[in-house]
Amino acid sequence: MSEEKKKEFTLEEVSKHNTEKDCWLVIGNMTNGGPKVYDITNYLDDHPGGAEVMLDVAGQDADEFFEDIGHSNDARDELKKHYIGEFKMSEEEMAKMKAEAEAKAAAKNASGGMNIVVLLVVLVAVGVGYYKTQMA
């Protein structure tokens, strides 16, 4: 990417590009550099999952869909080739996105603590089972 500032697009502008012949997506969030706009029209036929999955989210914010699939680093590198600009958001939208990112991070951290509890419970159960077999 060059030093010059890329164009900014609103959701209204992006939403007009929702066909097989003109397909744009918004992908990105506060944890990975913010939302960006990608013109993936020329990539539709090459997408391993088929064009239809991308056309389902064409002209929309497809970040959650993209992240839920668990794309590889190669896929992320391919996506960068189709970058055309930044996704323009209002202050309110930015605050909402930031709050959602913080909530997801907090939920992820909280679930990490639950994993430890589950592991401890399993270890105690194994220990009790072993103790009972040795006492019999």
Side-chain angles (χ1 to χ4, degrees):
M1 282 179 256
S2 65
E3 291 293 320
E4 67 186 63
K5 186 170 173 77
K6 285 285 189 169
K7 184 169 182 185
E8 290 185 335
F9 299 96
T10 64
L11 186 57
E12 182 180 348
E13 291 171 301
V14 172
S15 68
K16 295 174 184 174
H17 304 272
N18 61 1
T19 69
E20 193 171 342
K21 300 216 180 297
D22 185 20
C23 185
W24 291 11
L25 301 175
V26 175
I27 298 176
N29 55 59
M30 297 309 265
T31 64
N32 59 17
K36 297 181 180 357
V37 180
Y38 300 90
D39 180 351
I40 49 103
T41 308
N42 294 329
Y43 184 68
L44 288 173
D45 291 335
D46 297 327
H47 186 257
E52 194 61 37
V53 295
M54 292 197 298
L55 289 169
D56 286 344
V57 291
Q60 302 173 47
D61 183 344
D63 183 66
E64 187 172 348
F65 176 78
F66 182 83
E67 294 299 337
D68 285 351
I69 298 299
H71 284 88
S72 67
N73 288 336
D74 288 342
R76 293 173 189 281
D77 290 342
E78 179 65 36
L79 181 64
K80 290 176 187 176
K81 297 175 187 175
H82 303 281
Y83 170 78
I84 58 170
E86 298 294 315
F87 183 60
K88 184 176 181 181
M89 297 188 309
S90 68
E91 292 294 324
E92 182 180 294
E93 290 170 318
M94 288 179 86
K96 181 181 175 188
M97 179 178 272
K98 186 174 183 179
E100 287 174 356
E102 289 171 355
K104 282 184 180 180
K108 185 176 181 180
N109 290 339
S111 69
M114 285 300 294
N115 290 340
I116 292 171
V117 171
V118 170
L119 179 61
L120 288 174
V121 168
V122 169
L123 288 173
V124 168
V126 168
V128 168
Y130 178 75
Y131 176 78
K132 285 186 175 187
T133 59
Q134 295 302 313
M135 298 308 283

